[in-house]
Amino acid sequence: MFAGLALLAGLGGALAQDGKDAATEGKAPVLKLELNRLEPAGDACRTYLLVDNSRGPALKSLKVDLFAFDTEGVAQKRLAVELGPVQDRKTMVRLFDFPALACPKIGRVLLNDVLACEGGEASRESCLERIETESKTSATFVR
């Protein structure tokens, strides 16, 4: 009786493990970009971008194309930002400035595209698919 229960328990664990692998198989780990803070820096808006790669492989380069829109929804500034290198299973903060743009005027930041993504089997397309955006600021951050 006990041997049968042990066998069933082991089989149940194996089935649960197989189900878990199937659910995650083929799906790349999420790379989260969070617009964390905006602060004035002279006539520019200093931007703190949290790069959360806590579940993914290292990237030698991750260059993104960003657009800042004003509170009326009109595109104001375009900026190419190198976020790499991005270490595997690491979270970091990258700073950059939107020149000649006051922070209160920024209503939305758009991740327009991934310009470069290098490391392992990464490609521009696969990196873009992995990225999820969020914001802790008054401006939204979308892809």
Side-chain angles (χ1 to χ4, degrees):
M1 172 100 175
F2 291 115
L5 289 175
L7 179 64
L8 283 175
L11 181 60
L15 288 174
Q17 184 64 38
D18 287 346
K20 182 179 177 187
D21 289 344
T24 59
E25 188 176 309
K27 185 172 181 185
V30 170
L31 176 62
K32 187 166 89 173
L33 300 182
E34 176 188 278
L35 189 58
N36 185 269
R37 181 176 174 185
L38 301 174
E39 72 178 12
D43 68 342
C45 183
R46 175 129 325 130
T47 304
Y48 292 71
L49 191 69
L50 184 99
V51 181
D52 181 354
N53 192 37
S54 58
R55 295 174 270 176
L59 299 171
K60 288 189 288 186
S61 174
L62 176 61
K63 191 171 190 176
V64 295
D65 179 26
L66 302 174
F67 271 91
F69 290 80
D70 67 16
T71 54
E72 303 296 317
V74 178
Q76 296 297 309
K77 295 287 176 185
R78 183 180 188 188
L79 198 58
V81 179
E82 175 62 63
L83 301 175
V86 179
Q87 297 174 9
D88 68 323
R89 310 207 185 290
K90 175 89 174 98
T91 299
M92 62 196 69
V93 176
R94 298 291 192 221
L95 278 66
F96 58 90
D97 293 347
F98 278 109
L101 185 59
C103 295
K105 288 201 61 119
I106 298 177
R108 177 171 55 125
V109 176
L110 170 69
L111 172 65
N112 194 50
D113 201 359
V114 171
L115 301 173
C117 185
E118 300 171 16
E121 297 177 17
S123 68
R124 284 183 45 242
E125 295 80 14
S126 66
C127 281
L128 184 58
E129 287 299 315
R130 286 183 56 199
I131 293 174
E132 289 182 2
T133 59
E134 78 177 44
S135 178
K136 293 216 184 268
T137 72
S138 58
T140 58
F141 186 31
V142 298
R143 47 174 293 218

